[in-house]
mmCIF file of all heavy atoms in Angstrom:
data_model
loop_
_atom_site.group_PDB
_atom_site.id
_atom_site.type_symbol
_atom_site.label_atom_id
_atom_site.label_comp_id
_atom_site.label_asym_id
_atom_site.label_seq_id
_atom_site.Cartn_x
_atom_site.Cartn_y
_atom_site.Cartn_z
ATOM 1 N N LEU A 95 -3.290 -9.807 -2.297
ATOM 2 C CA LEU A 95 -2.050 -9.389 -3.089
ATOM 3 C C LEU A 95 -2.179 -7.925 -3.318
ATOM 4 O O LEU A 95 -1.074 -7.256 -3.074
ATOM 5 C CB LEU A 95 -2.039 -10.205 -4.384
ATOM 6 C CG LEU A 95 -0.881 -10.176 -5.166
ATOM 7 C CD1 LEU A 95 0.376 -10.531 -4.423
ATOM 8 C CD2 LEU A 95 -1.022 -11.099 -6.394
ATOM 9 N N MET A 96 -3.257 -7.345 -3.673
ATOM 10 C CA MET A 96 -3.334 -5.898 -3.938
ATOM 11 C C MET A 96 -3.163 -5.141 -2.619
ATOM 12 O O MET A 96 -2.465 -4.118 -2.578
ATOM 13 C CB MET A 96 -4.742 -5.533 -4.537
ATOM 14 C CG MET A 96 -4.825 -6.089 -6.030
ATOM 15 S SD MET A 96 -6.191 -5.416 -6.904
ATOM 16 C CE MET A 96 -7.634 -6.256 -6.026
ATOM 17 N N SER A 97 -3.769 -5.656 -1.541
ATOM 18 C CA SER A 97 -3.584 -5.068 -0.294
ATOM 19 C C SER A 97 -2.106 -5.015 0.231
ATOM 20 O O SER A 97 -1.599 -3.949 0.749
ATOM 21 C CB SER A 97 -4.506 -5.777 0.806
ATOM 22 O OG SER A 97 -4.204 -5.146 2.052
ATOM 23 N N ALA A 98 -1.470 -6.123 -0.054
ATOM 24 C CA ALA A 98 0.028 -6.097 0.403
ATOM 25 C C ALA A 98 0.888 -5.190 -0.422
ATOM 26 O O ALA A 98 1.889 -4.725 0.177
ATOM 27 C CB ALA A 98 0.515 -7.577 0.219
ATOM 28 N N CYS A 99 0.444 -4.843 -1.594
ATOM 29 C CA CYS A 99 1.219 -3.980 -2.472
ATOM 30 C C CYS A 99 0.758 -2.565 -2.376
ATOM 31 O O CYS A 99 1.445 -1.606 -3.038
ATOM 32 C CB CYS A 99 1.124 -4.389 -3.951
ATOM 33 S SG CYS A 99 1.902 -6.026 -4.237
ATOM 34 N N THR A 100 -0.222 -2.283 -1.541
ATOM 35 C CA THR A 100 -0.749 -0.902 -1.380
ATOM 36 C C THR A 100 0.386 0.037 -0.761
ATOM 37 O O THR A 100 1.071 -0.474 0.129
ATOM 38 C CB THR A 100 -1.894 -0.828 -0.668
ATOM 39 O OG1 THR A 100 -3.087 -1.494 -1.372
ATOM 40 C CG2 THR A 100 -2.458 0.550 -0.319
ATOM 41 N N VAL A 101 0.534 1.220 -1.231
ATOM 42 C CA VAL A 101 1.469 2.140 -0.673
ATOM 43 C C VAL A 101 0.775 3.365 -0.007
ATOM 44 O O VAL A 101 -0.098 3.919 -0.631
ATOM 45 C CB VAL A 101 2.389 2.652 -1.736
ATOM 46 C CG1 VAL A 101 3.421 3.754 -1.237
ATOM 47 C CG2 VAL A 101 3.263 1.476 -2.363
ATOM 48 N N GLU A 102 1.185 3.662 1.171
ATOM 49 C CA GLU A 102 0.630 4.843 1.904
ATOM 50 C C GLU A 102 1.757 5.812 2.234
ATOM 51 O O GLU A 102 2.770 5.359 2.757
ATOM 52 C CB GLU A 102 -0.114 4.530 3.125
ATOM 53 C CG GLU A 102 -1.555 3.942 2.878
ATOM 54 C CD GLU A 102 -2.387 3.817 4.081
ATOM 55 O OE1 GLU A 102 -1.872 4.354 5.215
ATOM 56 O OE2 GLU A 102 -3.488 3.431 4.059
ATOM 57 N N LEU A 103 1.616 7.052 1.858
ATOM 58 C CA LEU A 103 2.645 8.067 2.195
ATOM 59 C C LEU A 103 1.982 9.215 2.984
ATOM 60 O O LEU A 103 1.008 9.759 2.612
ATOM 61 C CB LEU A 103 3.219 8.678 0.882
ATOM 62 C CG LEU A 103 4.062 7.705 0.018
ATOM 63 C CD1 LEU A 103 4.441 8.308 -1.267
ATOM 64 C CD2 LEU A 103 5.321 7.289 0.801
ATOM 65 N N PRO A 104 2.656 9.500 4.141
ATOM 66 C CA PRO A 104 2.084 10.600 5.005
ATOM 67 C C PRO A 104 2.314 11.965 4.370
ATOM 68 O O PRO A 104 3.240 12.124 3.523
ATOM 69 C CB PRO A 104 2.947 10.445 6.297
ATOM 70 C CG PRO A 104 4.197 9.730 5.882
ATOM 71 C CD PRO A 104 3.757 8.872 4.716
ATOM 72 N N GLY A 105 1.454 12.856 4.674
ATOM 73 C CA GLY A 105 1.568 14.266 4.218
ATOM 74 C C GLY A 105 2.941 14.864 4.307
ATOM 75 O O GLY A 105 3.410 15.629 3.420
ATOM 76 N N ARG A 106 3.655 14.656 5.423
ATOM 77 C CA ARG A 106 4.897 15.277 5.618
ATOM 78 C C ARG A 106 5.989 14.866 4.627
ATOM 79 O O ARG A 106 7.053 15.492 4.389
ATOM 80 C CB ARG A 106 5.327 15.000 6.994
ATOM 81 C CG ARG A 106 5.815 13.530 7.329
ATOM 82 C CD ARG A 106 6.331 13.362 8.665
ATOM 83 N NE ARG A 106 6.520 11.948 8.960
ATOM 84 C CZ ARG A 106 5.653 11.009 9.398
ATOM 85 N NH1 ARG A 106 4.382 11.446 9.403
ATOM 86 N NH2 ARG A 106 6.002 9.766 9.539
ATOM 87 N N GLU A 107 5.729 13.680 3.883
ATOM 88 C CA GLU A 107 6.619 13.183 2.909
ATOM 89 C C GLU A 107 6.361 13.604 1.509
ATOM 90 O O GLU A 107 7.075 13.336 0.565
ATOM 91 C CB GLU A 107 6.808 11.656 2.979
ATOM 92 C CG GLU A 107 7.347 11.137 4.317
ATOM 93 C CD GLU A 107 8.777 11.574 4.532
ATOM 94 O OE1 GLU A 107 9.446 11.919 3.660
ATOM 95 O OE2 GLU A 107 9.209 11.581 5.640
ATOM 96 N N LEU A 108 5.117 14.189 1.281
ATOM 97 C CA LEU A 108 4.622 14.450 -0.055
ATOM 98 C C LEU A 108 5.088 15.795 -0.598
ATOM 99 O O LEU A 108 5.371 16.687 0.198
ATOM 100 C CB LEU A 108 3.051 14.400 -0.054
ATOM 101 C CG LEU A 108 2.476 13.071 0.330
ATOM 102 C CD1 LEU A 108 0.987 13.200 0.626
ATOM 103 C CD2 LEU A 108 2.750 12.069 -0.711
ATOM 104 N N PRO A 109 5.261 15.880 -1.880
ATOM 105 C CA PRO A 109 5.690 17.171 -2.422
ATOM 106 C C PRO A 109 4.590 18.231 -2.374
ATOM 107 O O PRO A 109 3.363 17.863 -2.311
ATOM 108 C CB PRO A 109 5.998 16.786 -3.928
ATOM 109 C CG PRO A 109 5.078 15.604 -4.172
ATOM 110 C CD PRO A 109 5.000 14.863 -2.938
ATOM 111 N N ARG A 110 4.943 19.426 -2.343
ATOM 112 C CA ARG A 110 3.932 20.529 -2.321
ATOM 113 C C ARG A 110 3.084 20.539 -3.592
ATOM 114 O O ARG A 110 1.894 20.577 -3.531
ATOM 115 C CB ARG A 110 4.542 21.928 -2.154
ATOM 116 C CG ARG A 110 5.217 22.065 -0.806
ATOM 117 C CD ARG A 110 5.654 23.511 -0.515
ATOM 118 N NE ARG A 110 6.214 23.697 0.729
ATOM 119 C CZ ARG A 110 6.701 24.811 1.200
ATOM 120 N NH1 ARG A 110 6.806 25.879 0.384
ATOM 121 N NH2 ARG A 110 7.200 24.893 2.430
ATOM 122 N N ARG A 111 3.753 20.433 -4.749
ATOM 123 C CA ARG A 111 2.998 20.277 -5.996
ATOM 124 C C ARG A 111 2.860 18.797 -6.354
ATOM 125 O O ARG A 111 3.871 18.289 -6.719
ATOM 126 C CB ARG A 111 3.681 21.060 -7.149
ATOM 127 C CG ARG A 111 3.743 22.559 -6.837
ATOM 128 C CD ARG A 111 4.303 23.315 -7.999
ATOM 129 N NE ARG A 111 3.396 23.089 -9.168
ATOM 130 C CZ ARG A 111 3.677 23.654 -10.407
ATOM 131 N NH1 ARG A 111 4.765 24.330 -10.473
ATOM 132 N NH2 ARG A 111 2.857 23.472 -11.390
ATOM 133 N N ARG A 112 1.766 18.253 -6.228
ATOM 134 C CA ARG A 112 1.555 16.904 -6.347
ATOM 135 C C ARG A 112 1.342 16.516 -7.870
ATOM 136 O O ARG A 112 0.570 17.117 -8.578
ATOM 137 C CB ARG A 112 0.380 16.412 -5.502
ATOM 138 C CG ARG A 112 0.714 16.643 -4.065
ATOM 139 C CD ARG A 112 -0.496 16.117 -3.120
ATOM 140 N NE ARG A 112 -0.062 16.377 -1.748
ATOM 141 C CZ ARG A 112 -0.851 16.224 -0.671
ATOM 142 N NH1 ARG A 112 -2.039 15.672 -0.891
ATOM 143 N NH2 ARG A 112 -0.384 16.525 0.434
ATOM 144 N N PRO A 113 2.047 15.416 -8.227
ATOM 145 C CA PRO A 113 1.871 14.970 -9.696
ATOM 146 C C PRO A 113 0.485 14.677 -9.976
ATOM 147 O O PRO A 113 -0.361 14.288 -9.181
ATOM 148 C CB PRO A 113 2.786 13.762 -9.698
ATOM 149 C CG PRO A 113 3.815 13.964 -8.601
ATOM 150 C CD PRO A 113 2.999 14.684 -7.495
ATOM 151 N N ARG A 114 0.158 14.760 -11.226
ATOM 152 C CA ARG A 114 -1.205 14.483 -11.671
ATOM 153 C C ARG A 114 -1.366 13.182 -12.432
ATOM 154 O O ARG A 114 -2.441 12.795 -12.938
ATOM 155 C CB ARG A 114 -1.715 15.635 -12.589
ATOM 156 C CG ARG A 114 -1.923 16.919 -11.910
ATOM 157 C CD ARG A 114 -2.354 18.013 -12.810
ATOM 158 N NE ARG A 114 -2.402 19.358 -12.070
ATOM 159 C CZ ARG A 114 -3.633 19.739 -11.694
ATOM 160 N NH1 ARG A 114 -4.791 19.067 -11.829
ATOM 161 N NH2 ARG A 114 -3.666 20.839 -11.059
ATOM 162 N N SER A 115 -0.284 12.430 -12.567
ATOM 163 C CA SER A 115 -0.233 11.133 -13.373
ATOM 164 C C SER A 115 0.575 10.176 -12.593
ATOM 165 O O SER A 115 1.404 10.613 -11.705
ATOM 166 C CB SER A 115 0.230 11.383 -14.734
ATOM 167 O OG SER A 115 1.662 11.672 -14.753
ATOM 168 N N ILE A 116 0.441 8.899 -12.819
ATOM 169 C CA ILE A 116 1.129 7.956 -12.192
ATOM 170 C C ILE A 116 2.653 8.045 -12.652
ATOM 171 O O ILE A 116 3.523 7.768 -11.828
ATOM 172 C CB ILE A 116 0.651 6.521 -12.367
ATOM 173 C CG1 ILE A 116 1.133 5.579 -11.361
ATOM 174 C CG2 ILE A 116 0.885 5.954 -13.797
ATOM 175 C CD1 ILE A 116 0.785 5.820 -9.880
ATOM 176 N N ALA A 117 2.848 8.413 -13.799
ATOM 177 C CA ALA A 117 4.210 8.519 -14.398
ATOM 178 C C ALA A 117 4.977 9.706 -13.648
ATOM 179 O O ALA A 117 6.086 9.619 -13.203
ATOM 180 C CB ALA A 117 4.182 8.934 -15.861
ATOM 181 N N GLY A 118 4.155 10.758 -13.193
ATOM 182 C CA GLY A 118 4.686 11.786 -12.394
ATOM 183 C C GLY A 118 5.057 11.346 -11.073
ATOM 184 O O GLY A 118 6.061 11.724 -10.469
ATOM 185 N N TRP A 119 4.196 10.552 -10.470
ATOM 186 C CA TRP A 119 4.483 9.972 -9.131
ATOM 187 C C TRP A 119 5.686 9.037 -9.133
ATOM 188 O O TRP A 119 6.495 9.074 -8.271
ATOM 189 C CB TRP A 119 3.213 9.228 -8.597
ATOM 190 C CG TRP A 119 2.227 10.093 -8.019
ATOM 191 C CD1 TRP A 119 0.930 10.411 -8.601
ATOM 192 C CD2 TRP A 119 2.318 10.915 -6.832
ATOM 193 N NE1 TRP A 119 0.318 11.301 -7.710
ATOM 194 C CE2 TRP A 119 1.067 11.588 -6.698
ATOM 195 C CE3 TRP A 119 3.289 11.056 -5.860
ATOM 196 C CZ2 TRP A 119 0.816 12.467 -5.533
ATOM 197 C CZ3 TRP A 119 3.060 11.925 -4.759
ATOM 198 C CH2 TRP A 119 1.814 12.648 -4.688
ATOM 199 N N ASN A 120 5.791 8.315 -10.271
ATOM 200 C CA ASN A 120 7.009 7.374 -10.433
ATOM 201 C C ASN A 120 8.308 8.270 -10.386
ATOM 202 O O ASN A 120 9.240 7.813 -9.645
ATOM 203 C CB ASN A 120 6.971 6.648 -11.811
ATOM 204 C CG ASN A 120 5.829 5.597 -11.989
ATOM 205 O OD1 ASN A 120 5.378 5.342 -13.019
ATOM 206 N ND2 ASN A 120 5.430 5.013 -10.863
ATOM 207 N N ALA A 121 8.350 9.299 -11.159
ATOM 208 C CA ALA A 121 9.524 10.127 -11.284
ATOM 209 C C ALA A 121 9.841 10.770 -9.926
ATOM 210 O O ALA A 121 11.007 10.797 -9.501
ATOM 211 C CB ALA A 121 9.288 11.190 -12.372
ATOM 212 N N TRP A 122 8.786 11.302 -9.306
ATOM 213 C CA TRP A 122 8.975 11.930 -7.922
ATOM 214 C C TRP A 122 9.593 10.868 -6.928
ATOM 215 O O TRP A 122 10.473 11.207 -6.237
ATOM 216 C CB TRP A 122 7.643 12.539 -7.412
ATOM 217 C CG TRP A 122 7.840 12.981 -6.005
ATOM 218 C CD1 TRP A 122 8.387 14.117 -5.544
ATOM 219 C CD2 TRP A 122 7.464 12.269 -4.881
ATOM 220 N NE1 TRP A 122 8.453 14.092 -4.192
ATOM 221 C CE2 TRP A 122 7.825 13.045 -3.694
ATOM 222 C CE3 TRP A 122 6.814 11.070 -4.642
ATOM 223 C CZ2 TRP A 122 7.611 12.545 -2.399
ATOM 224 C CZ3 TRP A 122 6.544 10.525 -3.358
ATOM 225 C CH2 TRP A 122 6.998 11.368 -2.255
ATOM 226 N N ALA A 123 8.871 9.691 -6.916
ATOM 227 C CA ALA A 123 9.336 8.651 -6.017
ATOM 228 C C ALA A 123 10.793 8.291 -6.198
ATOM 229 O O ALA A 123 11.579 8.070 -5.278
ATOM 230 C CB ALA A 123 8.393 7.482 -6.117
ATOM 231 N N ALA A 124 11.148 8.134 -7.530
ATOM 232 C CA ALA A 124 12.517 7.747 -7.779
ATOM 233 C C ALA A 124 13.528 8.789 -7.277
ATOM 234 O O ALA A 124 14.579 8.540 -6.819
ATOM 235 C CB ALA A 124 12.678 7.574 -9.371
ATOM 236 N N GLU A 125 13.156 10.088 -7.566
ATOM 237 C CA GLU A 125 14.034 11.223 -7.136
ATOM 238 C C GLU A 125 14.115 11.268 -5.636
ATOM 239 O O GLU A 125 15.228 11.427 -5.075
ATOM 240 C CB GLU A 125 13.473 12.572 -7.652
ATOM 241 C CG GLU A 125 14.320 13.811 -7.403
ATOM 242 C CD GLU A 125 13.676 15.013 -8.017
ATOM 243 O OE1 GLU A 125 13.126 14.926 -9.127
ATOM 244 O OE2 GLU A 125 13.733 16.121 -7.380
ATOM 245 N N ARG A 126 12.995 11.126 -4.922
ATOM 246 C CA ARG A 126 12.968 11.226 -3.439
ATOM 247 C C ARG A 126 13.745 10.021 -2.881
ATOM 248 O O ARG A 126 14.475 10.149 -1.801
ATOM 249 C CB ARG A 126 11.537 11.218 -2.948
ATOM 250 C CG ARG A 126 11.413 11.340 -1.445
ATOM 251 C CD ARG A 126 11.852 12.617 -0.921
ATOM 252 N NE ARG A 126 11.562 12.742 0.526
ATOM 253 C CZ ARG A 126 12.534 13.016 1.402
ATOM 254 N NH1 ARG A 126 13.750 13.237 0.985
ATOM 255 N NH2 ARG A 126 12.326 13.080 2.668
ATOM 256 N N LEU A 127 13.607 8.850 -3.533
ATOM 257 C CA LEU A 127 14.245 7.742 -3.057
ATOM 258 C C LEU A 127 15.842 7.805 -3.139
ATOM 259 O O LEU A 127 16.575 7.522 -2.153
ATOM 260 C CB LEU A 127 13.864 6.497 -3.820
ATOM 261 C CG LEU A 127 14.436 5.057 -3.484
ATOM 262 C CD1 LEU A 127 13.882 4.774 -2.064
ATOM 263 C CD2 LEU A 127 13.893 4.039 -4.463
ATOM 264 N N ALA A 128 16.245 8.341 -4.278
ATOM 265 C CA ALA A 128 17.696 8.653 -4.490
ATOM 266 C C ALA A 128 18.190 9.592 -3.432
ATOM 267 O O ALA A 128 19.332 9.498 -2.860
ATOM 268 C CB ALA A 128 17.981 9.086 -5.864
ATOM 269 N N GLN A 129 17.471 10.671 -3.186
ATOM 270 C CA GLN A 129 17.833 11.721 -2.161
ATOM 271 C C GLN A 129 17.952 11.137 -0.765
ATOM 272 O O GLN A 129 18.984 11.357 -0.136
ATOM 273 C CB GLN A 129 16.718 12.785 -2.258
ATOM 274 C CG GLN A 129 17.011 13.919 -1.216
ATOM 275 C CD GLN A 129 15.834 14.859 -1.156
ATOM 276 O OE1 GLN A 129 14.787 14.701 -1.670
ATOM 277 N NE2 GLN A 129 16.071 15.953 -0.458
ATOM 278 N N LEU A 130 16.980 10.306 -0.294
ATOM 279 C CA LEU A 130 17.040 9.683 0.979
ATOM 280 C C LEU A 130 18.206 8.731 1.049
ATOM 281 O O LEU A 130 18.831 8.571 2.129
ATOM 282 C CB LEU A 130 15.742 8.893 1.212
ATOM 283 C CG LEU A 130 14.484 9.749 1.636
ATOM 284 C CD1 LEU A 130 13.304 8.918 1.643
ATOM 285 C CD2 LEU A 130 14.812 10.414 3.006
ATOM 286 N N LYS A 131 18.583 8.060 0.041
ATOM 287 C CA LYS A 131 19.649 7.066 0.048
ATOM 288 C C LYS A 131 20.939 7.793 0.200
ATOM 289 O O LYS A 131 21.961 7.272 0.680
ATOM 290 C CB LYS A 131 19.634 6.181 -1.184
ATOM 291 C CG LYS A 131 18.604 5.112 -1.125
ATOM 292 C CD LYS A 131 18.570 4.239 -2.446
ATOM 293 C CE LYS A 131 17.641 3.122 -2.318
ATOM 294 N NZ LYS A 131 17.632 2.241 -3.508
ATOM 295 N N ARG A 132 21.037 9.034 -0.258
ATOM 296 C CA ARG A 132 22.345 9.840 -0.243
ATOM 297 C C ARG A 132 22.496 10.433 1.185
ATOM 298 O O ARG A 132 23.671 10.689 1.566
ATOM 299 C CB ARG A 132 22.317 10.948 -1.273
ATOM 300 C CG ARG A 132 22.543 10.532 -2.633
ATOM 301 C CD ARG A 132 22.835 11.721 -3.534
ATOM 302 N NE ARG A 132 21.749 12.720 -3.555
ATOM 303 C CZ ARG A 132 20.742 12.716 -4.426
ATOM 304 N NH1 ARG A 132 20.646 11.802 -5.365
ATOM 305 N NH2 ARG A 132 19.826 13.740 -4.300
ATOM 306 N N GLU A 133 21.377 10.553 1.924
ATOM 307 C CA GLU A 133 21.482 11.182 3.251
ATOM 308 C C GLU A 133 22.124 10.117 4.193
ATOM 309 O O GLU A 133 21.866 9.021 4.178
ATOM 310 C CB GLU A 133 20.067 11.550 3.759
ATOM 311 C CG GLU A 133 19.525 12.662 2.954
ATOM 312 C CD GLU A 133 18.053 13.023 3.399
ATOM 313 O OE1 GLU A 133 17.528 12.330 4.402
ATOM 314 O OE2 GLU A 133 17.417 13.830 2.874
ATOM 315 N N THR A 134 23.000 10.723 5.046
ATOM 316 C CA THR A 134 23.562 9.857 6.014
ATOM 317 C C THR A 134 22.670 9.771 7.188
ATOM 318 O O THR A 134 22.067 10.727 7.589
ATOM 319 C CB THR A 134 25.006 10.445 6.489
ATOM 320 O OG1 THR A 134 24.824 11.847 6.916
ATOM 321 C CG2 THR A 134 25.971 10.453 5.411
ATOM 322 N N VAL A 135 22.647 8.549 7.782
ATOM 323 C CA VAL A 135 21.838 8.393 8.983
ATOM 324 C C VAL A 135 22.728 8.046 10.143
ATOM 325 O O VAL A 135 23.499 6.971 10.105
ATOM 326 C CB VAL A 135 20.834 7.188 8.779
ATOM 327 C CG1 VAL A 135 19.885 6.939 9.919
ATOM 328 C CG2 VAL A 135 20.068 7.482 7.471
ATOM 329 N N GLY A 136 22.600 8.774 11.242
ATOM 330 C CA GLY A 136 23.238 8.566 12.495
ATOM 331 C C GLY A 136 22.657 7.480 13.229
ATOM 332 O O GLY A 136 21.912 6.628 12.787
ATOM 333 N N ALA A 137 23.160 7.382 14.508
ATOM 334 C CA ALA A 137 22.516 6.333 15.432
ATOM 335 C C ALA A 137 21.240 6.776 15.892
ATOM 336 O O ALA A 137 20.989 7.129 16.940
ATOM 337 C CB ALA A 137 23.529 6.183 16.567
ATOM 338 N N ALA A 138 20.271 6.803 14.909
ATOM 339 C CA ALA A 138 18.971 7.177 15.197
ATOM 340 C C ALA A 138 18.199 6.151 16.114
ATOM 341 O O ALA A 138 18.518 5.060 16.193
ATOM 342 C CB ALA A 138 18.167 7.390 13.898
ATOM 343 N N HIS A 139 17.101 6.600 16.717
ATOM 344 C CA HIS A 139 16.250 5.719 17.454
ATOM 345 C C HIS A 139 15.647 4.603 16.589
ATOM 346 O O HIS A 139 15.555 4.825 15.408
ATOM 347 C CB HIS A 139 15.140 6.537 18.098
ATOM 348 C CG HIS A 139 14.386 5.803 19.126
ATOM 349 N ND1 HIS A 139 13.260 5.100 18.847
ATOM 350 C CD2 HIS A 139 14.551 5.762 20.450
ATOM 351 C CE1 HIS A 139 12.834 4.591 19.934
ATOM 352 N NE2 HIS A 139 13.547 4.943 20.983
ATOM 353 N N GLU A 140 15.521 3.447 17.187
ATOM 354 C CA GLU A 140 15.066 2.348 16.454
ATOM 355 C C GLU A 140 13.696 2.642 15.639
ATOM 356 O O GLU A 140 13.534 2.212 14.427
ATOM 357 C CB GLU A 140 14.828 1.100 17.361
ATOM 358 C CG GLU A 140 14.459 -0.218 16.542
ATOM 359 C CD GLU A 140 14.391 -1.449 17.452
ATOM 360 O OE1 GLU A 140 14.904 -1.342 18.607
ATOM 361 O OE2 GLU A 140 13.730 -2.367 17.102
ATOM 362 N N ASP A 141 12.814 3.406 16.250
ATOM 363 C CA ASP A 141 11.500 3.634 15.704
ATOM 364 C C ASP A 141 11.760 4.481 14.412
ATOM 365 O O ASP A 141 11.117 4.367 13.325
ATOM 366 C CB ASP A 141 10.599 4.457 16.623
ATOM 367 C CG ASP A 141 9.987 3.477 17.585
ATOM 368 O OD1 ASP A 141 10.071 2.276 17.443
ATOM 369 O OD2 ASP A 141 9.378 4.114 18.567
ATOM 370 N N ALA A 142 12.726 5.455 14.526
ATOM 371 C CA ALA A 142 12.993 6.378 13.345
ATOM 372 C C ALA A 142 13.695 5.560 12.240
ATOM 373 O O ALA A 142 13.312 5.757 11.042
ATOM 374 C CB ALA A 142 14.038 7.451 13.834
#
């Protein structure tokens, strides 16, 4: 169960100034998630 819920983020997706608390990571993830959802996605490759 813990393994299935583990989250890995590659360096290219991480902020330059990394949060120091889980609350900070929560806020950053929510902001980044909203940003990505606003972005339009064209007919990208299936892997992308």
Side-chain angles (χ1 to χ4, degrees):
L95 193 53
M96 289 191 294
S97 176
C99 293
T100 294
V101 172
E102 282 192 3
L103 291 172
R106 66 180 179 275
E107 297 296 340
L108 297 170
R110 288 188 181 180
R111 294 188 64 183
R112 296 182 181 174
R114 295 177 178 265
S115 68
I116 199 66
W119 281 111
N120 292 152
W122 170 79
E125 185 179 319
R126 181 70 177 123
L127 185 62
Q129 178 186 9
L130 283 173
K131 285 181 176 179
R132 285 193 303 267
E133 293 176 2
T134 56
V135 180
H139 190 270
E140 186 177 340
D141 284 347

